[in-house]
Amino acid sequence: MSTIGFIGLGTMGRPMAANLVKAGHEVKGFDVVSDARDRAVEDGIKVASSAVEAATGVNVLITMLPKGDHVRQALLVADGPLSVLAPGAVVIDSSSIDVPTSRDLHERGVELGIEVLDAPVSGGLAGAQAGTLTFMIGGAAETVEKVRPLFEAMGSRTVLTGGPGSGQVAKAVNQMVFGSSLVALTEAFVIAERLGLAPQKLFDVLSTSSGDCWALHNFCPLPGLVDGSAADNNYAPKFAAALLAKDLGLAATAADSAGVELVVGRGAKDKLDELSIKDGHLDASAVITKVGLK
């Protein structure tokens, strides 16, 4: 058993930290939201009074925060949590953030003698709860091996993507492909509905043909086609539209930095942004309401 610091006990962070507790680790957690701290206690997480306290006396610090700005405010500040970590400690940042911030965190780690991994996840809330997340990891292979038992407690797969920031690149482009597929699906169902093709018939074709994709089976945008879909529950979020919009924004930023013109990805981003203005709390599959079908 080891003691692990955990900053960010929200929708994803709390079940991830809870799975570490179930695996026999002591977790000292912190979140700026008091309700999140209160709920974390129910999972056996020892709540710290600050991010610095959560990092004090631990060899591994994990962060799961909403945006790059939050990572900068939490970690890249003087006298912050990194300042109390001993040389050789490991920081695992599982936030989905912009590549420059991630690389700045790696550079700060080098300055302090701390090993940093950027390790964003795929799998959503269900994966966080079940401990089946996929981690896309940028950093040194030796560091990954040092903390592999922690990844195994929180997920079912780890992919070492390369050097600093590469995990964030992988997450951004993966989400771009997912978001683009989801928007294409919504357009297909709207076209079919307006031209008299029943949704079930289209589903039967897509699910067994070249149009098949992960989004169809996990985020089908119409009710009555896939068991447990958000569409069957008034689009209660399995993966909120605002979160996917944020990820598509990160993909667009990455594309700009790489000098790549987005056509499909930019269109998907625009539709998710449109949905998120008023209904970002809904599931991302509710984007179908923005392509003409109510």
Side-chain angles (χ1 to χ4, degrees):
M1 183 183 79
S2 58
T3 301
I4 301 157
F6 206 112
I7 300 173
L9 301 171
T11 301
M12 294 291 289
R14 177 189 168 196
M16 291 169 66
N19 282 330
L20 292 171
V21 173
K22 291 175 184 176
H25 302 285
E26 180 179 311
V27 178
K28 293 198 303 178
F30 177 73
D31 196 287
V32 295
V33 178
S34 59
D35 285 347
R37 298 195 297 270
D38 293 341
R39 289 193 298 270
V41 173
E42 300 170 7
D43 292 320
I45 299 164
K46 296 186 176 180
V47 175
S49 62
S50 68
V52 171
E53 183 184 337
T56 300
V58 305
N59 293 320
V60 179
L61 178 66
I62 301 173
T63 50
M64 185 50 132
L65 299 167
K67 297 180 180 180
D69 287 346
H70 299 130
V71 172
R72 287 187 178 278
Q73 292 164 10
L75 299 181
L76 297 178
V77 292
D79 300 321
L82 300 188
S83 67
V84 298
L85 294 176
V90 177
V91 173
I92 302 171
D93 179 34
S94 286
S95 317
S96 292
I97 61 173
D98 58 286
V99 176
T101 294
S102 183
R103 289 178 173 167
D104 286 349
L105 179 58
H106 279 271
E107 290 178 6
R108 183 64 60 84
V110 172
E111 294 170 3
L112 298 174
I114 296 166
E115 300 174 50
V116 175
L117 299 173
D118 54 282
V121 303
S122 179
L125 176 58
Q129 292 172 332
T132 57
L133 294 170
T134 292
F135 288 87
M136 294 156 268
I137 308 172
E142 313 87 75
T143 306
V144 175
E145 292 308 312
K146 284 175 61 174
V147 294
R148 184 169 292 280
L150 304 186
F151 286 124
E152 291 175 345
M154 297 183 289
S156 59
R157 190 175 185 213
T158 59
V159 179
L160 181 59
T161 52
S166 63
Q168 298 296 347
V169 175
K171 175 63 184 288
V173 297
N174 177 78
Q175 294 302 86
M176 183 184 69
V177 172
F178 164 56
S180 299
S181 299
L182 179 60
V183 172
L185 277 177
T186 67
E187 293 174 341
F189 277 110
V190 170
I191 293 168
E193 186 265 345
R194 291 186 175 177
L195 296 181
L197 176 61
Q200 184 65 61
K201 296 300 183 183
L202 178 58
F203 180 89
D204 292 344
V205 171
L206 291 174
S207 62
T208 57
S209 302
S210 56
D212 195 17
C213 61
W214 189 86
L216 177 64
H217 296 278
N218 293 276
F219 286 85
C220 188
L222 286 182
L225 299 175
V226 175
D227 289 341
S229 72
D232 281 342
N233 192 26
N234 295 317
Y235 297 104
K238 295 175 64 179
F239 183 46
L243 295 178
L244 181 55
K246 182 203 81 168
D247 289 344
L248 294 181
L250 293 174
T253 299
D256 290 342
S257 69
V260 175
E261 179 185 3
L262 292 186
V263 178
V264 176
R266 184 76 64 175
K269 175 184 179 299
D270 290 345
K271 282 298 177 185
L272 267 299
D273 285 344
E274 184 182 349
L275 175 63
S276 295
I277 290 172
K278 292 184 178 179
D279 295 312
H281 62 286
L282 295 179
D283 189 74
S285 58
V287 71
I288 195 168
T289 64
K290 298 305 176 184
V291 292
L293 188 63
K294 299 298 184 182

